[in-house]
Each structure stands twice: as C-alpha cells, then as structure tokens.
Amino acid sequence: MKILAISDRAKYERMDPEDLKAAGDSIVFVPIDASVADAVSAQPDAEVILADAISPVSAELIAALPKLRMICSEGVAYNKIDCAAAAGRGVYVTNGAGMNAGAVAEQAILLMLGLLRKVTWGDCAVRAGKQIEAKNMVFANGEDDLMDMTVGIVGLGAIGKALAARLVPFGCRVIYTSRHRKKDAEDELGIEWLGLLDLLVQSDIVSLNCAVTPETTGMVNDGFLAAMKSGSYLINTARGDLVNNEALARALESGHLAGAGLDTVAPEPVTSDNPLLNLSDRAAGCVLFSPHVGGITTGSLRRLQRHMWANVHALERGERPTCVVNGI
C-alpha cells in the first residue's frame, strides 16, 4: 500500500520503527509545509496520507491523488483536513481520539498550577537572588489553592473527561458544558453540567477542551471573556483557533482576567507580531505559555502511531478503520 506521510520521518523511527521498517519503500515522507505539487510528485499513487495534525490536507491535494482511500491525522485534531472533500471522494478521515487525553489533561493542570503559584515569577526571583523578597510578597499578597477553585470545562470529550477525573481529587468543584449532557460522567465523577453562560459566570478557571469547528472558531471573543468572572483564568490546551487573540489581549491588559495558560496559540507557528506576545510587562507576566506540547509525550505518541498503523493494516484487509470523523 502506497503511503504519503506529511510529517517527520525521525518521529516514526523513534516511536514505531517496526511498522515503518515493514512499510519499506512504500512510504514516502514530505515536509509539513510541502506544496501540493511536491506532495503529489513524491507519491502520486498514494492510497493513504498520514498527516501531522497541523499540516493542511486540502481539497486540491485530495483531488490530485486518484487512488487515495484514507487520511489519518497523527493527532486528535483534524481541522486542517478538508473532511468534506474527502467524504465526497469516499475517503476515510480518521484521528487519534483519546490517545493523548491523559497527557493533555496533565498539561492543563500544569498551566493552572503554574499560574496560581506564579511559577515563572518565583523561578526568576530565586535566580536573581531575590528569594526572600519573593517569599515576603507571597506572604503579603497570598496565592490561591487549586482545591478552592471552581473549574469549568468547555467540551467533555476524552480530554475534558480526563481533565475532570484529575481535578476532582484536588478537591475542585468541576462543572462542564458540552453539546450533549453526559449523565454517566456526572454520576461517575461527581461533576455538574451547566449552560455555557452559567459556566463562565461561576468558574474561577475556564479550560477549553473542545474541537475547532465553524461554530467554535473564535468563540472566545469579547463577549465570552466579559462573561467570565473578574479575576478568573483561561486555559487553552485545545486549539488556538478557538480564541480571538485581540480580545484575549484586551481582557488581560484591562485586568479583567487574572491570567491565561496557553499551550496553543493561532496561527501556528506563532509569529512575533501576535498580540499575545506584545502585551505590557504587567499583562505579559499573567500569561504562561507552553509550545503546544500537551499531547506530545512518549506514551501518547506511541499510542497515536500504533493506532494509525492499525488503521492502515485494517484498510489493507478490507476492514473499516476506527475513529472515522467524516461520516464515511
């Protein structure tokens, strides 16, 4: 089976070398920013595309590969793949739903704790020889306990549920909103469903854990942020496309938000003119970034790779792949 991988070969060699070795010359790698012409030229008879989650798979590329049968996102996200064009051709689009849920949930908690405990500021103070001054400032101003927070989760898919399961033992009150109420999760974890507006009003921390769709793109706008509690925090380990950067910058500059923990910022790669990188010194100190690595743990990558290869082998056997996201 001919495979076009829009990705980094070294990642496959590190995570699942046996399947890569078995594929031999049937798999060809191109960079994630390869043009359509270069991708088609590299593997014109591709039956499968394995795509980095931030690599576009356009309708033009899908149309240019007449033997294409399946597109596998290496991650959970698939918003860069033209799912409608693939469905029109009868091409499966799959993702790795749930494979990195625990890792992303851990990253969200890391960002929450990092903001509440002012980890970056404290580290800098100690390195600058100001440990006692910093300690006295904490005595004077205090720091918040995660256990005292109401955390609102926007989107209770695999990652949102994994996050809730890890927050409950901290002692947090956990509330969530989603398109469909999930009574089983409520009963299992002791969490509460609320509509979005009520969730924003009641949450000390709002965590974005929903997919990017036409309806959710830019959902974190001025109105969304204004509805959040004064002094609350925004956490985004989902996708930067959910957030209007200018609106978030305004909420941070005004002091309405106490802070933001961002594992992902749009566009990616993040550019130097992004408003979230050009905040005043005070507002910049309220933001904790990580470089979109929440799901990139060794265990998660290994699970994602094995899931993709399992789908390739299923297709070879004439079976339906799992985690199909485009309705085929």
Side-chain angles (χ1 to χ4, degrees):
M1 179 169 289
K2 299 292 186 181
I3 301 171
L4 172 65
I6 309 175
S7 189
D8 178 13
R9 184 182 183 95
K11 181 165 50 179
Y12 286 68
E13 290 173 341
R14 184 174 72 255
M15 292 298 156
D16 205 341
E18 293 306 314
D19 276 306
L20 179 61
K21 182 178 179 181
D25 295 336
S26 66
I27 184 169
V28 174
F29 287 82
V30 297
I32 63 172
D33 58 353
S35 68
V36 170
D38 287 345
V40 173
S41 176
Q43 190 70 293
D45 295 325
E47 298 171 76
V48 174
I49 293 176
L50 307 180
D52 187 288
I54 67 168
S55 176
V57 181
S58 65
E60 182 184 1
L61 177 57
I62 292 167
L65 296 171
K67 296 183 179 180
L68 188 63
R69 300 168 59 195
M70 181 172 68
I71 304 165
C72 299
S73 169
E74 288 181 356
V76 175
Y78 53 90
N79 57 297
K80 295 293 187 180
I81 300 171
D82 194 322
C83 290
R89 281 273 314 277
V91 173
Y92 295 114
V93 176
T94 73
N95 75 338
M99 304 295 166
N100 63 0
V104 178
E106 289 178 6
Q107 189 77 8
I109 292 173
L110 178 150
L111 292 170
M112 293 176 195
L113 290 171
L115 288 167
L116 293 174
R117 296 302 181 92
K118 302 177 179 63
V119 167
T120 303
W121 169 80
D123 177 83
C124 291
V126 174
R127 293 177 188 276
K130 297 180 179 180
Q131 179 253 325
I132 294 300
E133 293 94 324
K135 184 176 181 179
N136 287 337
M137 285 185 67
V138 173
F139 271 122
N141 300 316
E143 289 184 347
D144 292 318
D145 293 314
L146 182 55
M147 72 177 73
D148 294 331
M149 299 288 104
T150 293
V151 181
I153 298 174
V154 180
L156 201 76
I159 294 172
K161 186 176 179 182
L163 176 58
R166 286 158 174 77
L167 286 170
V168 168
F170 275 88
C172 304
R173 176 190 176 211
V174 179
I175 57 181
Y176 79 97
T177 193
S178 64
R179 286 189 298 173
H180 305 289
R181 187 169 177 177
K182 302 187 177 181
K183 287 287 293 178
D184 289 349
E186 293 175 32
D187 295 340
E188 175 188 350
L189 299 172
I191 62 179
E192 310 166 50
W193 179 90
L194 291 176
L196 178 60
L197 181 58
D198 287 336
L199 178 141
L200 297 179
V201 169
Q202 295 187 35
S203 296
D204 300 298
I205 301 172
V206 173
S207 178
L208 303 178
N209 299 100
C210 53
V212 174
T213 68
E215 293 73 32
T216 62
T217 297
M219 67 182 289
V220 181
N221 54 24
D222 287 309
F224 183 108
L225 293 162
M228 291 175 62
K229 289 174 64 173
S230 178
S232 59
Y233 297 86
L234 180 73
I235 305 294
N236 187 9
T237 54
R239 279 294 182 272
D241 306 86
L242 298 171
V243 176
N244 180 301
N245 294 333
E246 290 80 8
L248 179 54
R250 286 190 288 270
L252 291 163
E253 290 287 5
S254 72
H256 177 65
L257 289 192
L262 307 172
D263 185 47
T264 176
V265 176
E268 190 172 340
V270 181
T271 54
S272 60
D273 61 348
N274 192 299
L276 296 173
L277 298 185
N278 292 279
L279 298 167
S280 66
D281 289 345
R282 185 207 63 79
C286 299
V287 180
L288 181 57
F289 292 105
S290 55
H292 200 176
V293 295
I296 309 178
T297 62
T298 299
S300 292
L301 288 176
R302 186 168 288 119
R303 286 188 292 273
L304 288 163
Q305 292 272 328
R306 288 174 177 170
H307 177 257
M308 282 196 309
W309 283 113
N311 272 342
V312 170
H313 301 322
L315 199 68
E316 288 175 326
R317 296 190 299 267
E319 299 171 3
R320 177 184 172 82
T322 60
C323 297
V324 175
V325 295
N326 67 332
I328 298 298

